[in-house]
Amino acid sequence: MNSLTISILGCGWLGLPLAEHLFQKGYPIKGSTASTTDIEKLKDRNIIPYHLEITDQSIFCDDLAGFLSCDILIVCIPPSRREDIEHYYPAQIQQLVSVLKTSSVQHILFISSTSVYRDVNREVTEAETQLAKKGSGKALHLSEYFLQRQFSTTCLRFGGLIGYDRMPHHYLYKKKLVTDAHTPLNLIHRDDCIQLVEKIIDKNVWGEVFNACADTHPTRKEFYMKEATEYGLSLPEFSDETATGYKIVRSDKIKQRLDYTFIFPDILAISAIEKSINKH
């Protein structure tokens, strides 16, 4: 058993398999869910469960002191879809900051997003100064600031999360039109996300900001066409309308710092690799 205790705030599509993986690596894991119906799911996976909800005004938890009695806190709650998200999400994080000041948490890993960058029609790195105009991107960047200003925090800016049940072939049959067809994508497979988190913890890398996207950046049209061909699905229509803007996010820094090679470096090969893994 590892001596470090880890709490994961938000055991959803990424947080739950991350919690399972870290438990298997020997870490005692505490996990939170905003839904009481998921408490048993966490217990079944050997995760100590907590019912925890954060609003812009307050935090509710059945045992907040117990949840925050840990060495590392992983914040894995993305901004929700709401009109006031630019203000609401940072207020949620400020609620968290207020209780962290009296906790035993030594380090924070904040799961952020490449949406913090503006569409500047070129490659971007962590040194990029032109940041998001959209509400969710602004909210994430401000939240990064709140956490890094007061705590030993590493911010991990993931591209769009894909893998398993989040691949185009699961919903292409419903899709009639694909817009922004020629926009390059910044995506990352969930397995790579989990491995990168483990690496940051194992190597004790704190106080950093990292981008994390797969090496390739196919267009939306290329990605959907490959998936449709792979699974024998009908192609949707693709809009030739020029996208308003794009960015290609570079992840050289994290690969070099963590000596990391992506499990899924090629977005267009993900389905084939997943099939191969499932066979074994």
Side-chain angles (χ1 to χ4, degrees):
M1 183 70 73
N2 199 296
S3 60
L4 293 175
T5 298
I6 300 173
S7 290
I8 299 179
L9 176 58
C11 287
W13 188 81
L14 172 60
L16 182 57
L18 172 61
E20 291 182 270
H21 177 82
L22 292 175
F23 175 80
Q24 291 167 3
K25 292 297 180 178
Y27 292 98
I29 302 295
K30 302 175 182 182
S32 83
T33 174
S35 172
T36 55
T37 59
D38 288 335
I39 293 293
E40 290 302 319
K41 185 190 298 184
L42 299 186
K43 286 182 181 178
D44 291 344
R45 290 161 172 78
N46 299 300
I47 300 161
I48 303 169
Y50 292 83
H51 176 213
L52 191 156
E53 297 182 61
I54 306 180
T55 71
D56 60 335
Q57 300 290 327
S58 64
I59 296 181
F60 167 81
C61 184
D62 47 12
D63 181 8
L64 186 59
F67 178 71
L68 294 179
S69 179
C70 61
D71 301 289
I72 297 170
L73 174 67
I74 300 175
V75 180
C76 194
I77 49 169
S80 55
R81 294 180 181 274
R82 48 188 298 155
E83 289 184 3
D84 63 344
I85 196 60
E86 184 178 338
H87 305 287
Y88 187 86
Y89 186 75
Q92 287 179 291
I93 298 302
Q94 284 185 309
Q95 290 294 326
L96 179 62
V97 166
S98 67
V99 295
L100 282 171
K101 291 176 180 177
T102 56
S103 75
S104 63
V105 174
Q106 299 298 306
H107 304 290
I108 297 170
L109 181 55
F110 181 62
I111 305 302
S112 188
S113 165
T114 57
S115 65
V116 300
Y117 301 116
R118 194 177 305 181
D119 290 335
V120 288
N121 300 324
R122 54 174 168 77
E123 292 184 341
V124 298
T125 70
E126 292 84 352
E128 180 60 47
T129 58
Q130 295 196 50
L131 300 177
K133 290 182 177 180
K134 294 181 180 179
S136 59
K138 284 184 176 181
L140 282 165
H141 188 252
L142 186 56
S143 299
E144 289 180 356
Y145 170 74
F146 288 153
L147 291 170
Q148 286 202 306
R149 181 179 60 175
Q150 299 194 54
F151 307 104
S152 173
T153 303
T154 285
C155 299
L156 194 46
R157 294 171 175 171
F158 286 138
L161 304 181
I162 56 172
Y164 305 112
D165 59 330
R166 282 197 183 182
M167 294 293 289
H169 64 265
H170 287 283
Y171 53 86
L172 262 176
Y173 66 94
K174 295 181 180 178
K175 209 162 183 69
K176 304 300 182 185
L177 177 68
V178 174
T179 58
D180 294 336
H182 301 292
T183 301
L185 299 172
N186 300 290
L187 303 173
I188 184 169
H189 193 280
R190 187 172 69 186
D191 288 357
D192 279 306
C193 297
I194 290 171
Q195 290 297 321
L196 286 167
V197 170
E198 182 188 352
K199 284 272 192 180
I200 286 171
I201 294 169
D202 287 350
K203 291 179 177 288
N204 204 32
V205 180
W206 304 107
E208 288 283 1
V209 175
F210 293 116
N211 296 335
C213 296
D215 295 339
T216 62
H217 301 269
T219 65
R220 196 180 304 275
K221 182 175 183 178
E222 289 171 329
F223 187 37
Y224 279 44
M225 287 183 68
K226 181 68 166 57
E227 282 281 296
T229 301
E230 185 91 24
Y231 286 89
L233 302 171
S234 299
L235 285 173
E237 292 185 31
F238 294 97
S239 170
D240 289 327
E241 184 178 331
T242 304
T244 55
Y246 70 90
K247 53 186 173 275
I248 295 176
V249 179
R250 300 287 307 215
S251 301
D252 304 80
K253 179 182 175 182
I254 197 168
K255 290 192 292 184
Q256 293 168 6
R257 182 68 182 276
L258 302 182
D259 189 24
Y260 187 75
T261 301
F262 276 81
I263 305 167
F264 297 91
D266 183 358
I267 294 302
L268 297 181
I270 283 181
S271 288
I273 295 173
E274 281 190 350
K275 285 180 180 179
S276 176
I277 292 172
N278 291 336
K279 286 180 179 178
H280 296 89

